[in-house]
Amino acid sequence: AALVVLLAALALRLRWNMSNRRIWAANPRGGGAKRTVLVTGAASGLGRCVAMRAAARGDLVVALDVDAAGLADLTSEASCAPVATIVAVCCDVSNPTDVARAVETVRTKLGGRTIDVVANFAGLIRGGPLLELDDCELERVMAVNVLGTQRVTKAFIPLMHTEEPRDAESRVPSPKIIVVASELSYANFSAGFSAPYSMSKFALEAYALCLLRRT
């Protein structure tokens, strides 16, 4: 049974990776035009991978993370690529004051340039027996994974371009908001002692549906 679960998780990860590759390899504006991509959780994990990939293709990347040292390492590594440009902003997405400060910092640094993509990768995992878990651990996971995604998305919407494409060949696409769920929520499954993380990812799937339906 453990092997089946592992294989299922690997298959779902491969599906996500292939989908992610198509999203980030696509040239949404045609003609080699570059995007402005905001990535949260950019100092490590999937957020870092996406930030580096976007920067490597020449996109302007706005990297948000609470880990200042990790952001410094990211920008240092990106500086080795001749076309990479990363604007690093230290921000705790669970803190409304931090998010508001980040918006103003980014607005100033972009100098009127709009954001094409907001990619919400900031997240953390806490685990343990659910009914024995300290409430603050559950609250912290939900504050970062769910409320952090909402705060960042809501706060940065005004900085995104709002032009709707006039036709299928339009070189100006609609802005993109990326919400990151998990193999667990995708498979309607919760692994042992991962209830807070699973709960947050199920919530993010519902959040994404609400955004799609504009409710």
Side-chain angles (χ1 to χ4, degrees):
L3 178 59
V4 172
V5 171
L6 175 60
L7 291 176
L10 289 174
L12 288 167
R13 172 63 67 187
L14 177 60
R15 175 191 173 112
W16 189 94
N17 284 341
M18 293 304 293
S19 174
N20 183 60
R21 182 181 296 274
R22 287 193 294 271
I23 291 172
W24 293 100
N27 186 354
R29 291 187 175 180
K34 307 306 179 183
R35 302 164 291 196
T36 301
V37 181
L38 183 142
V39 183
T40 69
S44 62
L46 291 173
R48 182 187 180 93
C49 291
V50 168
M52 288 299 297
R53 182 175 179 84
R57 77 177 294 279
D59 293 334
L60 171 60
V61 175
V62 179
L64 268 60
D65 203 289
V66 70
D67 180 4
L71 286 176
D73 183 62
L74 172 71
T75 55
S76 176
E77 182 179 347
S79 67
C80 298
V83 296
T85 303
I86 293 183
V87 174
V89 180
C90 192
C91 174
D92 178 355
V93 299
S94 70
N95 185 318
T97 302
D98 254 26
V99 174
R101 186 184 300 117
V103 170
E104 294 310 311
T105 299
V106 171
R107 191 195 307 274
T108 299
K109 289 182 177 292
L110 292 184
R113 182 168 176 166
T114 55
I115 295 173
D116 299 292
V117 181
V118 170
N120 292 286
F121 281 91
L124 50 80
I125 300 175
R126 294 290 186 272
L130 180 58
L131 298 183
E132 300 174 20
L133 194 68
D134 193 312
D135 288 348
C136 69
E137 293 291 329
L138 177 58
E139 290 169 357
R140 179 61 178 158
V141 171
M142 301 302 283
V144 173
N145 297 8
V146 182
L147 294 178
T149 295
Q150 159 67 356
R151 286 194 180 100
V152 168
T153 300
K154 181 179 178 180
F156 281 95
I157 279 285
L159 273 64
M160 302 183 78
H161 70 82
T162 57
E163 302 93 336
E164 291 292 334
R166 289 185 292 274
D167 51 57
E169 288 72 37
S170 175
R171 297 167 68 89
V172 181
S174 299
K176 302 294 187 295
I177 298 170
I178 297 175
V179 176
V180 180
S182 166
E183 293 97 333
L184 296 178
S185 56
Y186 181 83
N188 196 28
F189 177 78
S190 178
F193 301 128
S194 65
Y197 178 77
S198 299
M199 291 164 64
S200 72
K201 294 304 181 177
F202 274 88
L204 284 173
E205 291 213 16
Y207 176 74
L209 288 175
C210 291
L211 286 181
L212 284 173
R213 295 169 183 170
R214 299 182 182 182
T215 56

